[in-house]
Amino acid sequence: MGKTLVIAEKPSVGRDLAKVLPGSFQVGKPTGERSARWMEGPDHVITWAIGHLVQLAEPDAYDKKFKRWKMEDLPIVPQEFQLVVRDDQSKKQMSVIKNLLKRPDVDQVINACDAGREGELIFQWVFRAGGGTQPVQRLWLSSMTETAMRRALDSLRSPDELVLLGQAAQSRSEADWLVGMNATRAATIRLRSSFDGAVSLGRVQTPTLAILARREEEIRAFVPEPYWLVDAKFGLDGGRSYRGRLHQGTSPRLKTAAEAEAIVAAIHGRNGTITKLDKVRRKERAPMLYDLTSLQRDAGSRYGFTARRTLAAAQRCYEEHKALTYPRTSSRYLTTDMIPEIKPTATHVGSRAEYAAAAKYVTGLDTLPLGRVVNDEKVADHHAIIPTNEPHKLDKMGDDDRRIYDMVVRRFLAVFHPEAEFENTRIETTVETPGAAAPAEGPHVFRTRGRVLLVPGWRGVYGELETNDDASQDDEGTAQTLPKVEQGEAAKTVEVGSEEKVTKPPRRFSDASLLGAMETAGQLVDDDEMREAMKDSGIGTPATRAAIIERLIDVGYTERDGRALLVTDKGLNVIRLLDGHPLTSPSLTGDWEARLARIESGDETRKAFMDGIARFAKQTVEELDAKLKDVRIPRANLGPCPVCGRDITENRKGFSCWSKDDPGCGFVIWKSKAGKNLAPAVAKELIRTGKTAKQVTGFKSRAGRNFRAKLALHQTEEGKWRVEFDEPWAQEGMKAPEPEEAAPIPPPAVAPTDAVADQAADGADVAA
């Protein structure tokens, strides 16, 4: 009897499978190598792909002439796409897989790559490049527990069930190649004189950049305007008091200081009356279970995690700790067959004190509320992220993993709890000012709001058992705990004052808020259910969005400043020059994602989709050729050289007083510094003053973490000029500092809704 070759996506998954497959396994290594490349047991051989070993070939693989980028060669549309092994390290593993596929005793193969579109693509390419001909079965895992793996191995899926998923995966990859390769080449050819390096474009990264760039344009165009607010404290009999904010009509904002001061003077010490008292009892449903995007957004809001950092922690909780189910999911629902596992899972997580009370409530329910939790039609590849149905060893988790685990556990328990109930109170206090001259003539109406949590419901899972006083400040004033008051009651103005404010520009996107915008194709959607309904039209997928954000940073289009994502001049100019091209439209790529989903469901053919992509690539090349043909972005002139007085101008590598025709004195400021290209404004300040007054953002340490620092211009003993970090740690010869890690896990904050999550994340996004 022959053996079965199991191809996993990563070595860790291969090792886990060896624990549940029959027999003992021996490690296999090629001669002279230290690393294990496969494992062999009595009936199975296990190896792995280590991610994408194989990729689509570059254009010159089809024709050597494509090594040179020429507009007349575009568009490049291969009749049949070729595959190549990614790099030298991949070649070693690919050689092992080829040899295993050629073994005469290997008569069948199990595809054990990640259960989803990308995992299917990884296996298909490896199997094809390795020359595999054996029959294939599919291992479909949503959890890495031993129980889940044994169950999946006992119910292997036929490859016929996944043909359409494979077609969608292949179409996505080839579409990205066609659009990205042709658009990037066309734009780069036409903008060589304007930009250094390639002008990277793509069907997902470009509309994402457009979202960021439009927000940056709004911020730069914003003109702040002053306004004034008037707040008062009102006293009641018995020592009771509350505060209110003046509203004229619907707005609390006054245009001048004189108007505010006149009103303050007119009402100080005067009596008012509570002319309106509304108490409304409202209910609030628990948030839905997590998919990857909502988990990334929540972690970004709460802990400042980047999307990539959240994904990495969730992946470790899935693979290493076996504590969470598969994280790269777009669903927020469970399937019907999972209902029997809900209470046992709650029992496992309830073994820890911090979850015990909430878990006890769930396990004690006679009937679970499943209406917003279970929906087979809303689960495609994978269900929502929940804890696994077995004991979890939290002591082996790092801080990041522990935080992500905590978020998922509390969300899982909260969704089975009843609604939270609040009493919202709104008071209007009217103060008459008889005889006062305009603009202080009355009556003046002050508004007050308060919110009291009456029934904790699901919020009790997060530790909110009494009140939820919202401390945020807005035009209605600060929410407060209110005394008992009656309509018609007299209220004396015991304190009153005005405060000057300035209108603020829109906040820059953070990872959290950008993920939300990508999910809804750039539309501002706060409601949980509405956001769920728009997923099919989003930009990218949950599994790819984090990588897209990092890609925009890697190509120099954006930078991180704390939690904020700043668009560079290069990123802004690229979007400006594209001037509304369909490639910048979130709705376009959202439509493509929806069409890929239709390929998976059989409602659209792969051929029809790819024919449309080829036509779009051709149209894009023609439009970019015409639009960018004569574009020239002038190089910056930074003024006179501090050494010789000649003009310093920008060139591809830096800022200098020399050129082809004029050698100048040799003074130069190189653009590249610690993973960042210095902007002309920074170089100009260095030339003028010798240092930067404020820290410059976007530098990257050797460990890959972002940091900010002041800069100074120094001359070496050899007479050469260098830009150095002007910080104490640099002067002492120390390494660049790492950003502060998130603090130890605090008492749980209430899970924010998506709207509140964005506001919380954005609160730290305004650039200094």
Side-chain angles (χ1 to χ4, degrees), residues 7-12 35-37 47-54 86-87 89-94 96-97 113 122 126:
I7 301 179
E9 191 164 321
K10 305 177 187 71
S12 61
S35 301
R37 296 287 181 178
T47 189
W48 38 83
I50 319 178
H52 278 283
L53 295 177
V54 179
R86 183 177 289 270
D87 51 35
Q89 190 62 31
S90 299
K91 286 178 182 177
K92 294 180 181 180
Q93 186 64 20
M94 195 63 222
V96 169
I97 294 175
C113 291
I122 287 172
V126 166

Side-chain angles (χ1 to χ4, degrees), residues 140-175:
W140 197 262
L141 286 170
S142 287
S143 170
M144 290 300 296
T145 65
E146 291 190 9
T147 301
M149 286 190 286
R150 286 194 175 95
R151 187 186 303 128
L153 286 165
D154 289 339
S155 55
L156 294 171
R157 299 175 66 175
S158 164
D160 295 340
E161 298 178 42
L162 300 162
V163 168
L164 296 178
L165 177 66
Q167 289 183 3
Q170 188 176 346
S171 299
R172 193 278 308 159
S173 182
E174 292 175 2

Side-chain angles (χ1 to χ4, degrees), residues 1 29 46 100 194 215 256 268 280 366 380 396 410 453 486 489 551 561 567 576 595 647 697 740 757:
M1 181 177 176
K29 304 177 185 176
I46 303 173
L100 293 175
S194 300
R215 176 65 59 85
T256 66
H268 186 269
V280 179
D366 292 332
K396 294 187 177 181
R410 292 187 190 276
L453 180 60
E486 300 292 340
E489 192 171 358
R551 170 69 177 166
D561 181 17
V567 184
R576 287 169 183 161
R595 292 180 66 188
D647 279 353
T697 64
E740 290 185 6

Side-chain angles (χ1 to χ4, degrees), residues 676-699:
K676 172 189 172 70
N677 273 346
L678 300 181
V682 173
K684 192 170 185 177
E685 185 180 9
L686 287 169
I687 293 166
R688 188 177 70 253
T689 66
K691 59 176 63 178
T692 59
K694 295 182 179 180
Q695 290 182 323
V696 179
T697 64
F699 297 113

Side-chain angles (χ1 to χ4, degrees), residues 397-566:
M397 293 184 184
D399 286 346
D400 283 11
D401 304 354
R402 179 70 178 84
R403 291 186 182 94
I404 296 302
Y405 173 83
D406 181 75
M407 290 170 61
V408 173
V409 168
R410 292 187 190 276
R411 181 66 68 97
F412 169 73
L413 295 173
V415 79
F416 298 108
H417 278 65
E419 296 171 322
E421 295 187 33
F422 295 90
E423 183 179 76
N424 291 330
T425 302
R426 291 185 180 272
I427 300 172
E428 286 190 3
T429 306
T430 302
V431 181
E432 300 284 353
T433 53
E441 60 185 11
H444 298 292
V445 177
F446 288 79
R447 291 183 180 175
T448 303
R449 64 189 177 98
R451 191 186 196 204
V452 178
L453 180 60
L454 301 176
V455 179
W458 66 269
R459 285 182 174 266
V461 178
Y462 292 85
E464 285 206 358
L465 301 178
E466 295 181 3
T467 63
N468 180 42
D469 292 340
D470 181 1
S472 65
Q473 188 86 6
D474 62 15
D475 277 356
E476 289 196 12
T478 304
Q480 55 194 286
T481 302
L482 298 170
K484 183 177 177 61
V485 298
E486 300 292 340
Q487 188 164 333
E489 192 171 358
K492 185 175 182 179
T493 310
V494 295
E495 293 178 12
V496 63
S498 65
E499 182 180 9
E500 182 180 2
K501 298 277 190 178
V502 177
T503 56
K504 295 180 180 179
R507 294 187 177 103
R508 288 188 171 90
F509 283 100
S510 63
D511 278 53
S513 54
L514 181 58
L515 286 168
M518 294 173 74
E519 188 178 39
T520 56
Q523 298 185 48
L524 297 177
V525 178
D526 298 332
D527 181 74
D528 229 9
E529 273 77 8
M530 187 177 295
R531 182 180 292 278
E532 180 71 21
M534 295 185 66
K535 278 185 174 180
D536 288 343
S537 60
I539 300 174
T541 66
T544 61
R545 287 173 187 141
I548 290 299
I549 295 173
E550 298 302 325
R551 170 69 177 166
L552 293 175
I553 294 171
D554 291 342
V555 298
Y557 290 159
T558 62
E559 296 175 349
R560 277 204 175 90
D561 181 17
R563 296 188 186 186
L565 293 167
L566 279 67

Side-chain angles (χ1 to χ4, degrees), residues 577-619:
L577 292 172
L578 289 176
D579 190 28
H581 184 276
L583 201 57
T584 67
S585 169
S587 60
L588 174 72
T589 190
D591 174 63
W592 289 355
E593 290 293 346
R595 292 180 66 188
L596 289 169
R598 290 200 293 272
I599 292 175
E600 286 186 34
S601 64
D603 295 327
E604 181 167 351
T605 66
R606 167 171 149 73
K607 183 179 185 307
F609 175 76
M610 292 307 302
D611 287 347
I613 294 296
R615 288 192 297 273
F616 179 77
K618 183 175 185 297
Q619 293 165 1

Side-chain angles (χ1 to χ4, degrees), residues 229-246:
L229 301 173
V230 174
D231 291 323
K233 180 180 179 181
F234 297 100
L236 304 168
D237 291 341
R240 295 168 295 150
S241 65
Y242 62 93
R243 293 186 174 276
R245 173 160 292 169
L246 176 70

